[in-house]
Amino acid sequence: MLLDALNPHPADGLLALMSLYAADTRRSKLDLGVGVYRTEAGATPVMTAVKQAEWKLLQAQGSKSYLGPEGDLEFVRALQPLVFGATLVADLGARLTGVQTVGGTGALRLAADLVAGASPGHVLWLGTPSWPNHTPVFAASGLRVRSYRQFDAAAQGFDLAATLAALERAGAGDLVLLHGCCHNPTGADPSAEEWEQVIEVIVRRGLLPLVDIAYQGLGRDPESDAWALRRLVECVPQALVAYSCDKNFGLYRERVGALYVVAASGAAAAAASSHLAAHARASYSMPADHGAAVVRTILGDASLRAAWSEELRGMAARVNGIRGALAALGQVGAIELSPLARQRGLFALLPLPAAAIERLRIDHGVYMAGSGRINVAGLSMGAVARFGDALRTVQTAVAA
Ligand SMILES: Cc1ncc(COP(=O)(O)O)c(C=O)c1O
């Protein structure tokens, strides 16, 4: 029997960690594992503008009839200026098209399906470390993933030389995955000068960029966080942009995202759009509506939009405040925390041995991914010193 032959799939490390965290009865426990924004009190609340938009929708929505495989195209259009800026949207005109997707993950998968549909087994270059789901998503579409190191662990920064060398090796037309901002898991984004060099190689070698942007507004602000993506799109004839609204609108479980295609011509964009609809239809038929309707409602209402922007600004400020407090701890055992001040977004990657990560969990109730990734937003200001002490203690313990 076919199903009898299946062995259990290896458990997802982060999900297993969540279960251990839930079972831990210590009040002082810290969840630095799951990649969600948390308030100073440790909550991941529904944003105020989201609640208000939901209320508006509840009163105004007159039908739940099907929308179509592209999802809510009003949402897709409303999001465009936030992602690309109004000027670039106008400049791109019919070269820009998009569909609503099942979160950022769904956008990545649809992008991979589009490319693999046109060119089976196409090569995608992935800088590592990266979000652990990248490789499975791309491999599931039949893309061939080639990885290269893009993080300099010693300097805790983006490795420009290794990235440029990898892109020089890539074949013309190869797909290149780039994190738009707030790199997961390192927090280390290229500087503006480094982006220019990366873009230069992409243009010169005719590579196809796929920008994954899942944290716009959680780094500095929405405009600054989109700078690199916009600069890239200005320079290349074609690009793919996988966008998630799940973090910056706090809509995680509603699964809201979009995939944008920038094509060389309006006709090519229209053709790509028809393929995206076909891939969506063959996979999940159409995306769920609610989350996208919420985002569309917020973006289309000046006062909801202002409330959302303000709350998002406060979220980024809190994350950067924690980053500053961690950085101020300086050298903690063998780990230098000062680079965290110049990194951005929810994550940082601490070069800790597995034994130290385990001791943090068992002895101190500090839960973090096995890779050494911490979610900076999992800390409150009051917990930073305690975290620093625990970090020092476990390093001494495992070295002894
Ligand atoms: C880099 C990156 N891309 C994409 C995603 C997927 O986001 P979503 O939850 O919207 O599918 C995540 C989520 O953690 C992420 O970190």
Side-chain angles (χ1 to χ4, degrees), residues 240-258:
L240 300 164
V241 177
Y243 191 91
S244 173
C245 299
D246 290 328
K247 323 281 176 163
N248 55 359
F249 285 83
L251 282 164
Y252 312 91
R253 68 176 68 163
E254 300 293 353
R255 318 296 308 126
V256 195

Side-chain angles (χ1 to χ4, degrees), residues 103-105 108 131 134 179 184 212 214-215 244 246-247 255:
T105 311
L108 290 165
W131 182 47
H134 274 145
H179 293 235
N184 182 2
D212 178 4
Y215 299 91
S244 173
D246 290 328
K247 323 281 176 163
R255 318 296 308 126

Side-chain angles (χ1 to χ4, degrees), residues 43-52 54 249-252 294 311:
T44 304
V46 180
M47 293 175 82
T48 306
V50 167
K51 273 280 182 215
Q52 289 173 352
E54 288 184 313
F249 285 83
L251 282 164
Y252 312 91
V294 167
E311 195 166 347

Side-chain angles (χ1 to χ4, degrees), residues 33 62 81 102 111-112 136-137 145 156 193 212 264 270 288 308 386:
V102 184
V137 166
V145 177
Q156 287 278 300
E193 296 72 32
D212 178 4
W308 167 72
R386 179 159 65 82

Side-chain angles (χ1 to χ4, degrees), residues 35-46:
V36 298
Y37 173 79
R38 289 188 197 282
T39 63
E40 188 67 14
T44 304
V46 180

